[in-house]
Amino acid sequence: DVDDCIIRQTNTHFRYGYEYLGNSGRLVITPLTDRCYMTLTTALHLHRGGSPKGPAGTGKTETVKDLGKALGMYVIVVNCSEGLDYKSMARMYSGLAQTGAWGCFDEFNRINIEVLSVVAQQILSILSALSANLTRFVFEGRDISLVWSCGIFITMNPGYAGRTELPDNLKSMFRPISMVVPDSTLIAEIILFGEGFSNCKLLAKKVYTLYSLAVQQLSKQDHYDFGLRALTSLLRYAGRKRRLRPDLSDEEILIMSMKDMNIAKLTSVDLPLFNGIMHDLFPGIDAPSADYGKLREQIEQELRLSGLQITPFTVTKVIQLYETKSSRHSCMIVGRTCSGKTTTWRCLQSALSSLHRSGDTNYNLVR
């Protein structure tokens, strides 16, 4: 009946938003994601907000963003903190109401309880205006326009220190959805398939088993992360490596990626344990090691010029930093005082710059 693109799910229907969001990646659809979509679309249909809850790395924010992409809506993610007051929240809600965008307020229960009680009234006035199908309404004493497509979502991470319990009047405005255990094996399988691997079911099970055993058997360090975020970034990195090295087998590519992403951050006690788990999961497969002959020589030369001793440990750590920089946008060097953190990055900086100045285009000048 309507000359427009209509999206239907269960008993709800929405007009498509036509917001151009670029050719970015999409989420893997699992039973949990499906259930979350249904809850959120029903919440929007009833002129309510959506509230995914669960521990870090279970896909709360990503699911809201992906649903927005499916409906052609612009989603703005705000990381909430104790510093937010009711005035700054009012400005954000006013903007969402007038533009028709979706707002996803991450870690919403970190906001102070005094602010939340005022925020509840602000949200209520927007949701009431949406229920009444108004095009203009009075918000915080000002008459503003209201676009039908605006939506408010909050994600919560319960049980952490510094989190507040939401007031009852605020809870009643949001439909809760529990996001506890994502299906990591299925997610790994679909990502591997999308990145061009074959025999994805078996490989996904091995990767998931490696990360599960790492959580159980390795020591507990603040900088360790073997959750879903780490798993997906490993698989994306393996996909890039797959396209760069088509001559290697899938198992070899995965082993190289796992080593690149994890070896550098492991403590000396955990390293043999991690290698043992990898050897058990991929028996008889030795991944080819990269040849850093030229870089290694230059690192040793820079250490000599700095008046430092050349120890295998120091050289290995500089090369590991180089590998980490190649696979990550940014990295953090962790260690005790006087363990060589600053020396490591300064040595790599000098080595790469010297190689670039000598005419080797494979290395960049580091300022």
Side-chain angles (χ1 to χ4, degrees), residues 155-308:
T155 73
M156 289 190 290
N157 203 329
Y160 277 69
R163 306 296 197 274
T164 28
E165 187 64 30
L166 295 193
D168 287 343
N169 62 338
L170 192 54
K171 274 185 193 167
S172 63
M173 288 182 248
F174 290 92
R175 284 205 65 183
I177 164 90
S178 174
M179 307 273 289
V180 182
V181 187
D183 193 340
S184 302
T185 319
L186 178 61
I187 292 167
E189 184 187 336
I190 304 296
I191 292 175
L192 283 169
F193 188 77
E195 296 288 356
F197 286 81
S198 52
N199 197 8
C200 302
K201 199 177 261 311
L202 179 67
L203 291 177
K205 194 139 192 64
K206 286 187 173 185
V207 173
Y208 176 64
T209 307
L210 174 86
Y211 273 41
S212 302
L213 289 173
V215 171
Q216 293 164 25
Q217 295 187 12
L218 303 189
S219 64
K220 301 288 179 276
Q221 303 288 335
D222 289 340
H223 65 279
Y224 281 5
D225 177 21
F226 296 107
L228 186 59
R229 282 195 183 108
L231 186 70
T232 49
S233 60
L234 162 75
L235 299 174
R236 301 267 182 233
Y237 177 67
R240 291 200 299 275
K241 229 171 176 53
R242 163 85 286 168
R243 291 183 284 280
L244 287 170
R245 299 289 302 272
D247 53 309
L248 297 177
S249 71
D250 288 350
E251 283 85 359
E252 286 175 330
I253 291 285
L254 264 182
I255 290 173
M256 284 175 72
S257 304
M258 285 177 192
K259 284 185 171 175
D260 284 358
M261 297 292 265
N262 294 301
I263 293 289
K265 70 181 176 191
L266 297 175
T267 61
S268 52
V269 179
D270 290 333
L271 188 55
L273 285 170
F274 187 81
N275 285 332
I277 297 169
M278 279 194 27
H279 189 69
D280 292 345
L281 287 170
F282 298 94
I285 299 170
D286 286 322
S289 54
D291 178 33
Y292 291 113
K294 208 170 183 182
L295 179 62
R296 188 182 287 273
E297 285 171 18
Q298 191 61 47
I299 289 166
E300 290 177 1
Q301 176 69 19
E302 295 300 332
L303 287 170
R304 271 192 215 97
L305 291 171
S306 305
L308 299 168

Side-chain angles (χ1 to χ4, degrees), residues 292-345:
Y292 291 113
K294 208 170 183 182
L295 179 62
R296 188 182 287 273
E297 285 171 18
Q298 191 61 47
I299 289 166
E300 290 177 1
Q301 176 69 19
E302 295 300 332
L303 287 170
R304 271 192 215 97
L305 291 171
S306 305
L308 299 168
Q309 292 180 354
I310 299 164
T311 61
F313 178 79
T314 309
V315 177
T316 305
K317 282 295 160 193
V318 178
I319 289 172
Q320 282 180 354
L321 177 62
Y322 174 70
E323 287 175 341
T324 308
K325 286 292 290 170
S326 307
S327 64
R328 307 263 182 169
H329 289 299
S330 56
C331 55
M332 177 167 57
I333 304 173
V334 182
R336 292 174 183 273
T337 312
C338 293
S339 58
K341 300 186 294 293
T342 308
T343 303
T344 301
W345 70 257

Side-chain angles (χ1 to χ4, degrees), residues 2-67:
V2 186
D3 184 21
D4 205 344
C5 178
I6 302 292
I7 294 154
R8 298 180 190 278
Q9 170 140 294
T10 58
N11 63 335
T12 67
H13 65 275
F14 303 92
R15 293 210 319 264
Y16 188 68
Y18 299 103
E19 180 70 47
Y20 179 68
L21 299 163
N23 185 21
S24 56
R26 298 302 298 268
L27 270 195
V28 175
I29 303 298
T30 65
L32 178 67
T33 323
D34 244 350
R35 202 166 69 245
C36 188
Y37 282 174
M38 286 179 203
T39 307
L40 295 178
T41 47
T42 314
L44 286 169
H45 178 68
L46 298 170
H47 302 298
R48 286 276 170 273
S51 166
K53 309 178 179 185
T58 48
K60 301 183 294 292
T61 311
E62 288 302 318
T63 307
V64 173
K65 281 163 66 179
D66 202 66
L67 180 62

